Amino acid sequence: MKLRNNAKPVKLDPNTTDTLIGEGSIFEGKIRSDAGVRIEGQITGDIECEGDVTVGEKGVVHSNILARNIIIAGTVNGNVQAKLKLSITSKGKLYGNMVASSLSIEEGSVFEGTSKMGGSDKPDPAVMKETAAAVDPEQTPPAKNNAKSENDAVYKTW
């Protein structure tokens, strides 16, 4: 909710993008928004959004994200919870756990974590427990063991 000239509260439309972290920008801190958020730069800190969160192809996020819909075309290091749909595009990378009512993962994308399908509007404390801000931005995901396991087929299909 924002205040305008006469201090009357104005409810933002969750279908609009209100906040943009542009390419070349670095933001540290927590974001709460009644409308949508688009990230093309870098952000470290949790994001809570009543609207949609979009991480653009050049976006790098070290955060836990809670939003209505989440689209990942860049890199997210942290846990995400979409009240409705989580979409990971072919160039998107998610290193963390996710909860969503609906999930779309395109071929070529990366998802390392656990997934839970559910229709809850409330944050799942077990998934959102880890603080993504503690993740070292320079850290790369751990290398996989070259030993074959029965779970390898799951990774190859994604």
Side-chain angles (χ1 to χ4, degrees):
M1 195 173 293
K2 287 190 173 184
L3 297 178
R4 304 267 173 156
N5 294 339
N6 296 332
K8 295 178 186 176
V10 175
K11 181 75 173 163
L12 294 175
D13 181 1
N15 295 318
T16 63
T17 299
D18 176 61
T19 305
L20 170 67
I21 307 296
E23 187 178 341
S25 299
I26 299 173
F27 180 86
E28 294 181 15
K30 185 173 189 172
I31 294 177
R32 288 188 190 171
S33 178
D34 287 339
V37 174
R38 182 171 183 93
I39 299 146
E40 296 291 344
Q42 295 182 25
I43 178 170
T44 302
D46 292 345
I47 302 168
E48 290 182 28
C49 184
E50 293 298 318
D52 301 340
V53 171
T54 302
V55 179
E57 287 187 14
K58 295 188 179 182
V60 178
V61 177
H62 298 277
S63 309
N64 292 322
I65 302 173
L66 172 63
R68 180 179 62 183
N69 294 300
I70 301 170
I71 301 169
I72 300 174
T75 303
V76 175
N77 294 286
N79 300 321
V80 300
Q81 183 168 356
K83 295 175 186 172
L84 298 178
K85 184 175 183 179
L86 169 65
S87 299
I88 305 175
T89 68
S90 61
K91 295 187 180 185
K93 297 177 180 79
L94 172 58
Y95 301 102
N97 302 325
M98 61 73 59
V99 173
S101 294
S102 176
L103 175 63
S104 170
I105 302 177
E106 292 181 8
E107 184 177 351
S109 63
V110 174
F111 170 45
E112 291 187 9
T114 61
S115 63
K116 180 179 175 184
M117 301 298 285
S120 174
D121 283 349
K122 295 182 181 177
D124 184 338
V127 172
M128 302 307 282
K129 182 176 145 184
E130 296 177 18
T131 303
V135 175
D136 180 5
E138 301 299 320
Q139 180 181 358
T140 57
K144 292 205 182 305
N145 186 346
N146 287 336
K148 297 281 183 189
S149 75
E150 58 186 298
N151 290 334
D152 285 350
V154 174
Y155 291 124
K156 290 177 184 173
T157 60
W158 291 349

